[in-house]
Amino acid sequence: MLSINMQNPPADTIAKAVQFIRAGRLVAFPTETVYGLGADATDDVAVAEIFAVKGRPQFNPLIVHVDSVAMAQRFVAWSKTADKLADKFWPGPLTLVLARLSDSKISLLASAGGDTLGVRLPAHPLARALIAQAGVPLAAPSANRSGAVSPTLAAHVREELGDDVPIILDGGACAVGIESTVVDISGEIPALLRPGFVTREQLEEVLGRKVVTHDDPSGMLKSPGLLLTHYAPKLPVRLNVTEPHAREALLAFGPNVPKGAKTIINLSETSDLKEAAARLFASLRALDKPEYSTIAVMPIPHDGLGAAINDRLTRAASA
Ligand code: TXA
Ligand code: MG
C-alpha cells in the first residue's frame, strides 16, 4: 500500500493515483470535509467496487466530485439555483442534487438507479489536483466501512480499510471534519437532505426562499417522489424465478439460465456479484418495457454485494 504523508505530495504520487483511477481502481483522498473513497464515476465496475469495500447492505447514491462547474455541467441539468449556490459555496462543503442529463456518462449505480446526481466541487487542493489530472469525475462516499464514522485523517482510513484500498493520498487533517450539506435542487422546492457544514439558514439567505427538510411541519415534501432517490421499475417484479413465463423479461444470473422468457439479460454469466451490481440498474431499465408482462429475476446469492442487489430488487418487487 502506497501512502505518502505530506501536505503536498510529489507529483508522481498524484500521477500514480491517476493511473489507478484510470485503471478502474480505488483511491482514498482527502477533502476539506472528510476523506473520500474514490473511483472513476463513469466506470460501472469501479463504482461497484466502492460498494463492495464499504460493505453497505444497500446502494445509497454517491456524491460525484468534480474539479469545476464546467465538469458538473457535462452530467447534470445545471440551473440558476445551482449557479447561485455554487457561486457562494463552491469550492466547499455543499453537495447539489440535480437531475441527470439523459446522456450523462456517470454510472447509474452512483445515482442508485435514480434520475438525480449529487455533485460537489471540493476545496481541498489534493482532491482538485487528482480530479483534474485524472480528467474524470470521482464518485466517492466517506472512506469508512458502512456504519462507522467518517475518517478525517489518512490514518483513520488506513485503520478502517487497510489493504482494501491500494492508495491513500495523505492531505493531513480535514479542516471541516463533518460531511458536506446535501441539498436537492432538482425539483420545485429546495430540500435539505443532509445537514452539514453549510447551514439551512445560509442556503435560504442565498436563495431568498425557504429550504424544506424531510420532516418539515408544512408537509411540503410529502408529495410522493420528491425524495425518491431510487429507481422503481414500472413493470411488476417477480423474484427468485426458476421458471419464467412466455411474456416475461428475465433478469438472469449465472451460467444456467432457464428457457421460456421473451427476452433475457444476464447480470453475470460467471456469477460475479461485482459485475452484476455494475449492470443492475441499466439492465432493469432496459427490461422495463411495455412489451413484457413482468421483470422476472433469477435467485441471486445474498453474500457480499449480493445483499445490496437483493435489497434493491426486493424494494422494486414491493413498489
Ligand atoms: O463531505 C462529504 O459529503 C463526503 C466527502 C467525501 O465528499 N462524502 C460523503 O459521502 O459523505 P457519503 O456517501 O458518505 O454520503 C453521501 C450522502 C448520502 O446521505 C446520500 O444519500 C446523499 O449524500 N446523496 C448523494 N447523492 C444523492 C442523490 N442523487 N439523491 C439524494 N441523496 C444523495
Ligand atoms: Mg458516509
Side-chain angles (χ1 to χ4, degrees):
M1 179 176 51
L2 180 69
S3 161
I4 303 280
N5 190 1
M6 283 193 230
Q7 283 301 122
N8 296 302
D12 65 341
T13 309
I14 294 185
K16 181 106 193 165
V18 165
Q19 278 174 17
F20 272 65
I21 292 293
R22 294 211 176 124
R25 304 200 46 201
L26 305 188
V27 170
F29 65 96
T31 80
E32 72 282 16
T33 58
V34 300
Y35 276 76
L37 180 61
D40 178 353
T42 66
D43 180 332
D44 285 318
V45 177
V47 175
E49 172 76 10
I50 293 176
F51 285 101
V53 169
K54 289 273 296 182
R56 251 183 200 167
Q58 284 132 15
F59 293 124
N60 291 349
L62 302 178
I63 295 169
V64 169
H65 299 71
V66 294
D67 73 343
S68 60
V69 168
M71 188 185 262
Q73 288 171 334
R74 277 160 48 199
F75 308 111
V76 291
W78 199 252
S79 65
K80 284 219 175 76
T81 304
D83 255 338
K84 280 189 199 163
L85 292 175
D87 271 355
K88 180 77 182 175
F89 299 110
W90 278 13
L94 179 68
T95 296
L96 303 176
V97 173
L98 288 154
R100 291 171 65 101
L101 292 176
S102 55
D103 61 351
S104 181
K105 299 264 187 303
I106 303 291
S107 167
L108 265 175
L109 196 53
S111 296
D115 295 324
T116 61
L117 189 70
V119 287
R120 174 162 112 77
L121 176 58
H124 199 293
L126 254 180
R128 301 276 292 281
L130 178 63
I131 302 162
Q133 289 178 39
V136 291
L138 299 183
S142 49
N144 50 279
R145 304 249 189 235
S146 176
V149 295
S150 298
T152 54
L153 285 174
H156 297 161
V157 183
R158 212 170 294 127
E159 280 160 28
E160 178 88 2
L161 301 178
D163 288 340
D164 284 350
V165 50
I167 292 195
I168 302 170
L169 288 178
D170 190 340
C174 299
V176 172
I178 60 166
E179 294 91 343
S180 63
T181 302
V182 180
V183 63
D184 185 342
I185 51 169
S186 67
E188 273 292 290
I189 309 163
L192 185 68
L193 301 186
R194 180 176 72 179
F197 190 73
V198 174
T199 65
R200 177 177 176 175
E201 289 73 21
Q202 285 177 299
L203 295 173
E204 289 180 333
E205 193 182 318
V206 170
L207 294 178
R209 60 175 300 177
K210 199 168 157 46
V211 172
V212 299
T213 58
H214 197 41
D215 48 9
D216 198 278
S218 72
M220 277 207 275
L221 274 190
K222 292 282 154 54
S223 80
L226 207 50
L227 283 180
L228 194 74
T229 56
H230 291 292
Y231 168 71
K234 293 182 192 71
L235 287 185
V237 174
R238 196 162 76 89
L239 301 178
N240 295 315
V241 171
T242 48
E243 290 177 24
H245 307 153
R247 291 186 53 235
E248 285 187 324
L250 182 66
L251 191 61
F253 181 82
N256 305 312
V257 179
K259 293 199 167 32
K262 192 165 178 184
T263 193
I264 297 170
I265 291 182
N266 200 330
L267 287 174
S268 174
E269 283 172 24
T270 57
S271 305
D272 176 347
L273 287 165
K274 203 190 295 177
E275 183 182 35
R279 290 184 180 168
L280 178 66
F281 292 113
S283 303
L284 279 173
R285 280 173 190 255
L287 295 180
D288 194 16
K289 299 278 156 61
E291 60 256 46
Y292 313 120
S293 64
T294 317
I295 299 174
V297 185
M298 284 178 64
I300 295 171
H302 284 257
D303 50 292
L305 276 174
I309 294 172
N310 278 292
D311 168 76
R312 181 85 291 275
L313 290 168
T314 308
R315 287 166 196 257
S318 61

